[in-house]
Amino acid sequence: MPDPNAPSGQADSPVQLIEPKRHGDARGWFSESYSERDFAARGIDIRFVQDNHSLSKPAFTLRGLHFQTPPHGQDKLVRCIRGRILDVAVDIRAGSPTYGKWVAVELSAENGRQLLVPIGFAHAFLTLEDDCEVVYKTSDFYAPDCDGGLRWDDPAIGIDWPLPAGTAPELSAKDAVLPLLADFVSPFAYDGRPLAPLD
């Protein structure tokens, strides 16, 4: 889905949409969901050390906005293997001209797309149907002391969540009380690459 909030005009965005090829025949299809060599050819030089897998049973479950702070920041490679989600990344790098801006894309078992969410971006997703399963790789291990997050509905960020009128998302108790961007002092450095649209 196009993101009207996203900045425009940049080709080298740190957040990247990955679309692995599927090779199909009468039996179904085969796809390489991750290849270190192919990622390196795209300029993505990340060593992943942990795989995570979540099941969200009700539609409109929202997880996020999450990140880990240094020294245990996490790059994430996210895909949906059952159902459909809206996956979101928010720029939280100090000094970035796109600080607080976001991009979003629908990931589904059907489309096979993946989103690379690098260190310095908060990540969240909203399930668009029941029984969604999401898997993602991370470049560092879970570190509770570095666990951080921001409010999903922060008006300063203004994410356009596709929630039906009158529907509140299913949230964890922790996510419901995360701080606002205005109260966050970013420990992430800007690397010179502003956030750009995904499509």
Side-chain angles (χ1 to χ4, degrees):
M1 107 180 355
D3 175 8
N5 176 258
S8 61
Q10 299 295 326
D12 182 31
S13 182
V15 176
Q16 294 191 36
L17 182 61
I18 311 292
E19 299 188 80
K21 292 180 181 177
R22 287 181 171 177
H23 308 279
D25 59 24
R27 301 167 298 166
W29 53 262
F30 170 84
S31 179
E32 291 182 357
S33 59
Y34 174 72
S35 164
E36 183 179 52
R37 177 185 56 203
D38 292 349
F39 273 56
R42 292 179 63 124
I44 302 169
D45 183 20
I46 297 171
R47 176 177 174 258
F48 293 108
V49 299
Q50 181 174 310
D51 281 6
N52 298 327
H53 187 163
S54 71
L55 167 66
S56 299
K57 294 190 72 64
F60 308 114
T61 294
L62 198 153
R63 298 178 184 260
L65 294 155
H66 299 153
F67 53 86
Q68 277 192 184
T69 56
H72 296 291
Q74 290 181 323
D75 303 285
K76 297 177 180 178
L77 180 64
V78 185
R79 62 191 175 110
C80 181
I81 62 169
R82 183 182 181 192
R84 298 181 302 123
I85 64 170
L86 183 72
D87 208 43
V88 177
V90 178
D91 189 348
I92 54 171
R93 299 168 297 165
S96 171
T98 51
Y99 185 79
K101 300 296 184 184
W102 56 276
V103 291
V105 66
E106 184 175 302
L107 306 181
S108 70
E110 183 177 349
N111 69 29
R113 291 172 149 192
Q114 302 179 55
L115 192 65
L116 178 71
V117 182
I119 293 169
F121 288 80
H123 172 252
F125 65 85
L126 176 72
T127 65
L128 302 177
E129 55 189 63
D130 292 340
D131 298 319
C132 288
E133 292 187 63
V134 174
V135 295
Y136 59 99
K137 295 182 172 296
T138 64
S139 61
D140 205 338
F141 300 105
Y142 175 60
D145 292 347
C146 297
D147 195 21
L150 296 168
R151 280 281 296 272
W152 69 276
D153 59 349
D154 186 339
I157 300 172
I159 298 169
D160 184 17
W161 298 107
L163 289 162
T167 300
E170 293 282 340
L171 296 169
S172 70
K174 172 183 161 185
D175 286 355
V177 296
L178 288 171
L180 297 172
L181 185 65
D183 299 320
F184 173 64
V185 178
S186 177
F188 300 105
Y190 177 56
D191 64 359
R193 297 183 301 157
L195 183 62
L198 295 173
D199 294 321

